[in-house]
Amino acid sequence: MASPTPLNGRELVDCARANAQQGIETAAYQCGYGQDLNTFARELRKACEEMNLQVKELSGLITDQDMILQIGTGEIVAPDTASEL
């Protein structure tokens, strides 16, 4: 659910990170900035600096753990029993 008001600080960073894989437009909307991408980017950069995060762009918020979780969402294909290889 999108925030009714623009988020700031840690809440903004957490929301942006959660939506980073969907792109900047989706992240900005979900964080309460609508289509104002410039303000979203400026406030996100400011919030990251306050938290001592070295992030140059939105994709920098995607962690290795996020990538592993995304990889794990596939379908498992295996035989029903060990003898049915």
Side-chain angles (χ1 to χ4, degrees):
M1 188 167 121
S3 175
T5 59
L7 299 175
N8 293 304
R10 183 174 192 84
E11 290 178 336
L12 174 59
V13 173
D14 288 344
C15 180
R17 179 177 173 249
N19 294 286
Q21 292 180 336
Q22 284 75 36
I24 191 168
E25 292 87 3
T26 301
Y29 177 78
Q30 294 293 357
C31 294
Y33 288 88
Q35 295 184 7
D36 189 357
L37 302 182
N38 291 329
T39 303
F40 169 70
R42 183 176 58 247
E43 291 298 318
L44 181 58
R45 200 172 302 116
K46 180 177 151 188
C48 287
E49 287 175 7
E50 289 172 358
M51 295 174 64
N52 282 337
L53 294 175
Q54 303 292 326
V55 178
K56 295 185 191 262
E57 55 188 43
L58 185 61
S59 63
L61 292 174
I62 301 172
T63 64
D64 292 338
Q65 183 179 8
D66 295 329
M67 298 302 285
I68 291 169
L69 290 174
Q70 185 179 22
I71 291 169
T73 60
E75 185 176 337
I76 298 174
V77 178
D80 292 331
T81 64
S83 63
E84 293 181 9
L85 298 175

